[in-house]
Amino acid sequence: MLEFIEYPKCSTCKKAKNELDKLGFEYKDVHIVEETPSEKVILKWIETSGFELKQFFNTSGIKYRELGLKDKVGTLSNKEAAKLLASDGMLLKRPILVENGMVKQIGYRQTYDKLELN
């Protein structure tokens, strides 16, 4: 099952969801704040996705700036990053598309029509 991890008020998430709907994808909505992924889940994503660690962080978010993470993210271990990201869903870049526990895409810069989904 495809999971669409989002913050519902986010305009980028709304655009992405609209495209998924137009393409006919079935997915489960996951509210990133109310259902923040666990440290264990995030660590698995980091270690198996092929995405760079920094890509998991919402670098334009208020919390990211408040914590001064710009200079710290590069020094974090995967485990430290997973713990930090699990502490506050707003630190995670969104939307995140997950299929069968594997991250397919983080953020929404490209369209979904080229996604390889099972």
Side-chain angles (χ1 to χ4, degrees), residues 32-43:
I32 204 162
V33 175
E34 294 175 359
E35 300 177 67
T36 304
S38 70
E39 180 181 341
K40 182 179 176 181
V41 167
I42 294 170
L43 183 60

Side-chain angles (χ1 to χ4, degrees), residues 5 35-49 53 56 78-88 92 98 101-103:
I5 301 172
E35 300 177 67
T36 304
S38 70
E39 180 181 341
K40 182 179 176 181
V41 167
I42 294 170
L43 183 60
K44 180 185 174 200
W45 290 349
I46 291 168
E47 292 177 342
T48 62
S49 69
L53 186 60
F56 284 90
N78 289 349
K79 189 165 177 59
E80 290 169 330
K83 184 175 184 173
L84 182 59
L85 290 166
S87 73
D88 187 335
L92 280 160
V98 178
M102 303 295 291
V103 173

Side-chain angles (χ1 to χ4, degrees), residues 1-93:
M1 165 59 88
L2 185 63
E3 291 180 279
F4 182 76
I5 301 172
E6 65 166 331
Y7 183 64
K9 294 180 183 178
C10 167
S11 61
T12 302
C13 292
K14 289 177 185 177
K15 288 178 195 173
K17 186 186 273 192
N18 187 40
E19 182 175 351
L20 285 176
D21 290 341
K22 283 182 181 177
L23 291 169
F25 284 110
E26 290 185 27
Y27 55 88
K28 175 188 172 205
D29 288 317
V30 178
H31 192 298
I32 204 162
V33 175
E34 294 175 359
E35 300 177 67
T36 304
S38 70
E39 180 181 341
K40 182 179 176 181
V41 167
I42 294 170
L43 183 60
K44 180 185 174 200
W45 290 349
I46 291 168
E47 292 177 342
T48 62
S49 69
F51 290 98
E52 291 180 30
L53 186 60
K54 186 175 180 178
Q55 290 178 276
F56 284 90
F57 284 86
N58 178 11
T59 57
S60 60
I62 295 168
K63 188 78 168 185
Y64 182 87
R65 290 191 301 270
E66 283 177 355
L67 295 174
L69 294 175
K70 181 180 180 184
D71 299 323
K72 295 177 186 173
V73 169
T75 65
L76 296 174
S77 69
N78 289 349
K79 189 165 177 59
E80 290 169 330
K83 184 175 184 173
L84 182 59
L85 290 166
S87 73
D88 187 335
M90 295 303 279
L91 285 171
L92 280 160
K93 178 83 170 172

